[in-house]
């Protein structure tokens, strides 16, 4: 809760900065073999992305439904190797 309040107190520019920073950290972590690091960085990214969504008045459920599930008509399924793959 404290981080959430600090993000808003520092303004929209700081929120943008944090989303970009965390996105970069996700990409860097994904290049390494440690899946725990990827999970950690993804959770940070999602947190800051949600702060941005709240600031902009974007509802997560509606956004996913309209822009991802319906608009792009994609789904994720798991193969026998437990690797996610996108299907159309």
């Amino acid at each position: 809760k404290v981080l959430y309040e600090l993000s808003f107190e520092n303004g929209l520019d700081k929120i943008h900065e944090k989303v970009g920073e965390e996105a970069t950290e996700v990409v860097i972590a994904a290049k390494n073999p440690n899946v725990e690091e990827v999970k950690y960085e993804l959770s940070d990214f999602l947190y800051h992305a949600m702060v941005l969504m709240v600031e902009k008045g974007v509802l997560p459920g509606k956004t996913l439904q309209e822009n991802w599930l319906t608009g792009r008509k994609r789904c994720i399924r798991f193969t026998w190797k437990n690797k996610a793959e996108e299907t159309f």
Side-chain angles (χ1 to χ4, degrees):
K1 186 175 181 180
V2 174
L3 289 174
Y4 181 85
E5 291 170 357
L6 287 175
S7 292
F8 282 111
E9 288 175 8
N10 291 327
L12 197 54
D13 284 340
K14 185 65 175 177
I15 296 170
H16 293 160
E17 179 184 319
K18 287 302 291 180
V19 170
E21 175 188 322
E22 297 302 335
T24 301
E25 290 176 6
V26 168
V27 172
I28 292 168
K31 290 185 168 203
N32 297 317
N34 185 349
V35 81
E36 293 303 314
E37 185 179 349
V38 175
K39 290 179 189 178
Y40 177 83
E41 296 301 343
L42 277 170
S43 66
D44 279 353
F45 170 76
L46 291 171
Y47 167 79
H48 289 287
M50 286 188 284
V51 170
L52 178 61
M53 291 174 83
V54 169
E55 176 66 23
K56 299 302 278 182
V58 176
L59 301 173
K62 188 171 178 128
T63 299
L64 286 173
Q65 182 181 17
E66 290 176 354
N67 296 311
W68 189 69
L69 300 175
T70 305
R72 295 185 182 178
K73 295 185 171 77
R74 297 179 180 175
C75 66
I76 301 292
R77 68 179 173 91
F78 285 89
T79 66
W80 62 275
K81 294 179 183 178
N82 277 339
K83 300 281 184 178
E85 69 178 32
E86 199 169 43
T87 58
F88 299 88

